[in-house]
Amino acid sequence: MPRPLKPTDSVAEKLKKLPGNPGCYIFKDENGSVLYVGKAVVLKNRVRSYFHQSTKHAMRIARMVARVRDLEWIVVDSEVEALVLECNLIKQHRPPYNVLLRDDKSYPYVVITKEKFPRVLFTRRVRKDGSKYFGPYTSAYTVRETLQILHKAFQLIPCGKSWSGEPVQRPCLYHHLGQCMAPCAGMADRKAYQVVLDQVTQVLSGKGEALISKLRSDMSDMSDRMDFERAAEVRDQIVAIESMMQKQKVLDTDQIDRDVVAVVKDERGSAIQMLYVRGGKLIGQRQFFLDRSTEASPTEAVQEFVKQYYADAPEVPREILLPVEIEERKIVEAFLRNKKGSAVRIEVPGGGEGLALVEMAAANAEQALSAMASEIKQQEQWAEEAIVELQEALGLPTPAERVEGYDISNIQGTAPVGSMVVAIHGTAAKAEYRRFRIKWSPESPNDFAMMKEVILRRLRAYLDGQPKFATLPDLIMIDGGKGQLSAALEARDSLGLTVPMVGLAKKMELLYVPEDFLQPHSDISDLSSASALSDPSDPSDTSDSAKAPKQLRFREIELPLMSPGLVLLRRLRDEAHRFAVSFHRKVRDKRLSASAIEEIPGIGPRRKRLLLRTFGSLEGVRRATVEEIASVPTMTQRLAEQVKEFLAEA
C-alpha cells in the first residue's frame, strides 16, 4: 500500500495548529474543492496521522492525501456532535473520496401530518416537519390499498384537505355516510379524532392485535346492549384491519421493532438492503447503493451507511441488526439514543432469528445489486447510442456528452421564468439544473425575446467565470421551432461563442439545425429574423442584429420517433417544460399571495413575512382564527380582526 506524500508547506503549518478537541476536518484541493470530510475524537492526532510516513493507506485514501492542498476544521463538544456534523458536511459537499449513500428510487410512505386535525396521506418525500411516517413500502399500489382500508375502517379525513376545526362549510356526503367527523363544519371533537389516529398508528406499526382484541370486546358489549347497528360497524372495522394485517409477514416472535441491514459488495459496487420489522412483522423494505465504495471494506461501507441514513431517518427502532461489526458502534448508539429519546441497541447476530433476518436481507441485496448492474449496463449502452446518433445526425464537432435544454413559462407575459436542465451521458444531472426569473418585461408576450435573455445570461455567466455555470455544454436544445432557436443563436453569437444548438418542435418532432447566414434581409417581420428579436430597451443588447437584420436558414432533420437520440432530446424537452412550469407556478402563487396581504392596511413587510411563515400561504392565513393570527409576533388583536375582515371580503 502506498505511503502518503509529504504535506505542502501551507498544510504542514496548519497541522501544527490543530487542537486536541473533538470535531470534523475538511481536506481541500488546489482549487478549494472539498476532497474529504472526516471526524475525530482528537483532531490533532487523527489529521496528522494521514501524513505520517509510517502510515499505510488504502489506494483511495492515498490518492486523496496526495491531492490535499488545504485543511479546515470545526471544533465541537462531543463525539456525537462530531458525527452529526460529519453527516451534514458530507451531504452538503458530497466529497469525491467519501463513501456516499445513494438511493435509486423514491419510495412511498404513509404519513400522518402534524396538524390540528391530522390527515393520513400517501407521500414519497420525508420531511422534518413533525409528521409521523410509516414505511417505506415497495409498491405505491400497496400504499394506496392500505389507505383505502384505513379510510374504510376509521373516520379519517377522506377529502385530503387540511382543516383547522373551524366551521367554514357545510358537511359533505362523507359525514352523512359516517366516514368523516366533519372538521370542515366544526363538528369534529379533537380528542375523539386523536383516539382514531392512535388506533391507525397501532395498525401501521404492525401492532394491531391489541386493537382488534379491544374492538372485539367493544363489539360484544354493544351486542349485549342491543346496539346492533354500532356493533355491525365495529365488526366491519375488525374485518378491514385483519385483511390489512394478513399482508404483513410475521418474521419473529419477540415483537421487537428492528431494522435489519445487509451489504453485498463486489467489483460492481455496494448494495445495502434494509428490512423494516415492526411488532415482529415485516412492513417494508428498501434498497440503497453506495457510490465510490468499490475500494471500501464491508465494515466501512456499513458504517458510513448507518451514519448517513439515520441522520435523516424518520424513525429509529429499538434494535438495529448489522452483518458486520463497526468501529464506531458506541458513538453511533449514543447518537441514535439522543435522537430516539430511549435506548437503541446495535447488534451483529451470531445465530437464531436475527441471523436468519440478516441472511434474508443479504439475499435481497444480491438480487438488487445484479439488477442495478444490468440496468446500468443497459443505460450506458442506450446513452452511447444516443450520443453517437446525435453527433452524426447534427454534424457535431464532439460527442454530445453534456446536453442542456431550455424552456420558457409565462401566462400572457406575467411572471415569466426560464429553465435550464442538463443531461450528462444521457442521465439527468439535477444538481446542474438552473432557474431564471426573466427581467425583460414586454408590453405583450414575446417568447423569443425571453429565450434570448435566458441564453444570454447563461452564456455570459460562463464567460464571467461563475462557478454554477463553469461548464459549457456540447449541445444546447431549445424547446421550440425556428423563432426560439433564432433568438438563442443571436444571444450566443453576440458573445462570440460557438456552442452547437438545435431546436425541437413539438409538431412532427422535427429537429431544426442552423445551416448558415444569408445576406441582410429587409423583412424583419419574419419570425426567424434575428433583428425582430432584439429588445431596443435592453442596454446590454450589443448584437449586430440591432443594426442590420440577419436571416438564418435551417435544416430540418427527422429522426425515427423512438430512436435513442430523439428520445434523449424529447426527455430533455419535457423535463425543461416541467421544471419551468413548476417554477412559474411558485413565482405566480407567491406573487398573488404576497400582493393580497400587502393590500391589508397596517400590515408591513415584516408582519407579512411572519404571517406567511406561520400559516404557509394566503389560504392558511384565511383559514386561521382571529386568536391564531393575534398570536403571531408583532400582531395585535385589533390587527388580527382587521386581517380576518379584509380576507373575508377579498
Side-chain angles (χ1 to χ4, degrees):
M1 293 185 183
R3 294 181 178 179
L5 300 174
K6 184 178 179 181
T8 62
D9 292 342
S10 60
V11 172
E13 194 62 34
K14 289 191 174 183
L15 290 175
K16 297 176 184 177
K17 301 176 182 178
L18 282 163
N21 308 75
C24 289
Y25 53 92
I26 304 170
F27 289 141
K28 295 184 176 183
D29 63 12
E30 57 188 3
N31 299 318
S33 301
V34 175
L35 293 172
Y36 185 81
V37 172
K39 67 170 182 54
V41 179
V42 181
L43 278 169
K44 64 179 180 181
N45 294 345
R46 180 71 184 100
V47 178
R48 289 174 182 173
S49 69
Y50 282 96
F51 301 94
H52 290 163
Q53 293 302 308
S54 59
T55 303
K56 295 183 179 180
H57 291 308
M59 288 293 296
R60 175 172 62 93
I61 300 300
R63 288 195 297 269
M64 180 271 296
V65 172
R67 293 181 58 188
V68 173
R69 295 296 180 270
D70 195 9
L71 163 66
E72 293 180 4
W73 61 86
I74 302 173
V75 173
V76 295
D77 294 329
S78 67
E79 297 174 61
V80 175
E81 288 184 10
L83 186 147
V84 175
L85 179 59
E86 178 192 31
C87 292
N88 291 334
L89 290 173
I90 289 174
K91 188 189 306 180
Q92 177 185 349
H93 297 292
R94 300 192 66 79
Y97 288 95
N98 282 96
V99 174
L100 300 178
L101 174 61
R102 174 171 61 87
D103 182 9
D104 68 329
K105 296 178 182 176
S106 176
Y107 284 82
Y109 289 80
V110 174
V111 57
I112 300 179
T113 60
K114 187 178 182 181
E115 298 170 301
K116 282 194 172 182
F117 285 87
R119 295 165 290 165
V120 182
L121 304 171
F122 175 102
T123 185
R124 288 185 181 273
R125 182 178 297 179
V126 177
R127 298 180 175 89
K128 294 182 179 179
D129 56 1
S131 301
K132 292 182 180 179
Y133 292 86
F134 300 89
Y137 296 87
T138 53
S139 133
Y141 174 79
T142 303
V143 176
R144 293 192 170 94
E145 187 180 35
T146 298
L147 288 174
Q148 266 189 335
I149 295 172
L150 289 174
H151 281 286
K152 182 179 179 181
F154 301 100
Q155 284 189 311
L156 300 169
I157 299 174
C159 64
K161 296 180 181 178
S162 175
W163 304 108
S164 65
E166 294 295 316
V168 295
Q169 66 179 40
R170 295 171 62 186
C172 67
L173 184 61
Y174 286 115
H175 173 69
H176 296 298
L177 292 173
Q179 297 178 13
C180 181
M181 296 184 182
C184 58
M187 300 171 66
D189 179 72
R190 286 188 68 185
K191 290 183 179 178
Y193 191 76
Q194 187 58 50
V195 170
V196 171
L197 287 176
D198 292 340
Q199 293 174 341
V200 171
T201 301
Q202 277 186 281
V203 174
L204 290 172
S205 300
K207 303 171 184 176
E209 289 89 350
L211 174 60
I212 289 177
S213 177
K214 181 180 182 304
L215 290 175
R216 289 189 189 282
S217 176
D218 292 345
M219 183 176 65
S220 179
D221 292 341
M222 291 169 188
S223 297
D224 292 341
R225 297 195 306 269
M226 296 187 181
D227 187 358
F228 299 118
E229 186 176 348
R230 178 66 184 127
E233 292 176 359
V234 175
R235 178 202 61 201
D236 294 341
Q237 191 176 12
I238 292 172
V239 171
I241 295 170
E242 284 180 334
S243 71
M244 190 174 78
M245 291 179 59
Q246 287 173 0
K247 304 177 189 299
Q248 298 174 335
K249 182 179 178 182
V250 178
L251 290 180
D252 58 28
T253 56
D254 55 13
Q255 297 188 351
I256 294 177
D257 292 348
R258 52 173 49 132
D259 286 350
V260 184
V261 180
V263 60
V264 173
K265 183 181 176 301
D266 57 22
E267 68 280 355
R268 298 170 296 181
S270 298
I272 297 285
Q273 176 79 22
M274 286 195 72
L275 302 179
Y276 300 91
V277 182
R278 300 295 180 264
K281 297 182 179 66
L282 176 64
I283 66 167
Q285 62 176 331
R286 192 173 181 181
Q287 293 90 29
F288 300 86
F289 300 100
L290 299 179
D291 288 337
R292 306 158 192 168
S293 62
T294 52
E295 296 181 14
S297 66
T299 298
E300 183 184 0
V302 171
Q303 179 167 285
E304 291 304 314
F305 166 78
V306 170
K307 291 192 297 184
Q308 293 181 44
Y309 172 76
Y310 285 105
D312 294 319
E315 181 186 12
V316 179
R318 178 180 164 187
E319 183 176 274
I320 300 171
L321 301 184
L322 301 182
V324 292
E325 189 63 71
I326 58 175
E327 296 177 7
E328 300 174 348
R329 175 174 170 180
K330 296 297 182 184
I331 302 174
V332 174
E333 282 183 334
F335 161 63
L336 295 177
R337 183 171 61 248
N338 289 345
K339 183 169 184 176
K340 182 176 176 61
S342 59
V344 177
R345 186 170 69 246
I346 295 178
E347 294 287 345
V348 181
E353 290 181 344
L355 181 59
L357 288 172
V358 171
E359 289 175 347
M360 179 195 296
N364 281 275
E366 177 62 46
Q367 293 180 12
L369 188 60
S370 298
M372 180 198 71
S374 176
E375 288 176 8
I376 289 176
K377 185 176 181 180
Q378 290 177 5
Q379 169 64 22
E380 288 178 346
Q381 183 178 353
W382 178 87
E384 191 64 37
E385 291 175 3
I387 289 169
V388 170
E389 183 178 41
L390 287 177
Q391 184 178 13
E392 293 176 352
L394 305 180
L396 302 178
T398 58
E401 290 282 347
R402 178 188 173 101
V403 185
E404 293 181 0
Y406 293 84
D407 192 19
I408 302 296
S409 181
N410 67 95
I411 297 179
Q412 294 298 311
T414 60
V417 298
S419 68
M420 163 185 149
V421 298
V422 183
I424 298 178
H425 201 75
T427 302
K430 295 193 175 183
E432 301 286 323
Y433 287 14
R434 301 290 180 260
R435 303 182 297 190
F436 302 85
R437 286 178 185 262
I438 292 174
K439 301 175 182 178
W440 189 65
S441 301
E443 293 181 2
S444 59
N446 189 329
D447 284 356
F448 309 135
M450 293 176 188
M451 181 63 75
K452 176 185 174 183
E453 179 188 324
V454 168
I455 299 298
L456 196 64
R457 286 167 58 186
R458 186 270 180 261
L459 297 179
R460 189 172 283 159
Y462 163 76
L463 294 175
D464 292 342
Q466 294 184 23
K468 290 185 176 182
F469 299 92
T471 306
L472 274 181
D474 300 304
L475 176 66
I476 286 178
M477 189 279 302
I478 302 298
D479 183 0
K482 299 177 183 179
Q484 287 89 343
L485 182 56
S486 295
L489 288 165
E490 182 184 359
R492 179 200 69 179
D493 295 341
S494 69
L495 298 175
L497 296 173
T498 57
V499 183
M501 291 187 178
V502 62
L504 177 56
K506 291 182 178 65
K507 187 177 181 180
M508 304 297 292
E509 302 288 8
L510 288 176
L511 300 179
Y512 292 98
V513 181
E515 194 166 90
D516 57 17
F517 284 98
L518 300 179
Q519 294 299 317
H521 195 280
S522 59
D523 181 12
I524 63 172
S525 63
D526 188 272
L527 290 182
S528 62
S529 170
S531 66
L533 308 171
S534 301
D535 174 22
S537 64
D538 183 4
S540 64
D541 184 9
T542 57
S543 61
D544 293 337
S545 62
K547 303 171 186 177
K550 295 177 181 178
Q551 187 175 10
L552 293 165
R553 187 166 61 196
F554 298 93
R555 278 190 299 133
E556 292 184 0
I557 299 175
E558 185 175 0
L559 295 177
L561 196 60
M562 297 307 296
S563 64
L566 183 58
V567 169
L568 173 59
L569 293 183
R570 287 168 59 197
R571 287 179 181 175
L572 203 64
R573 177 195 62 195
D574 295 343
E575 180 71 346
H577 180 71
R578 180 201 64 80
F579 198 50
V581 169
S582 63
F583 183 43
H584 175 254
R585 188 177 295 119
K586 288 180 182 179
V587 172
R588 185 190 65 218
D589 291 349
K590 184 176 180 181
R591 181 175 171 182
L592 291 175
S593 298
S595 61
I597 290 182
E598 282 172 353
E599 294 174 5
I600 304 174
I603 303 299
R606 186 184 177 205
R607 286 191 174 118
K608 178 193 73 176
R609 285 196 302 271
L610 288 170
L611 284 172
L612 291 174
R613 190 180 303 163
T614 303
F615 300 107
S617 65
L618 177 63
E619 187 61 28
V621 179
R622 186 176 276 119
R623 287 183 182 174
T625 63
V626 172
E627 290 71 23
E628 289 171 335
I629 296 173
S631 67
V632 175
T634 76
M635 292 296 292
T636 64
Q637 184 73 15
R638 183 181 62 80
L639 278 175
E641 293 171 355
Q642 197 169 314
V643 169
K644 194 70 177 173
E645 181 180 351
F646 182 90
L647 292 180
E649 297 174 355

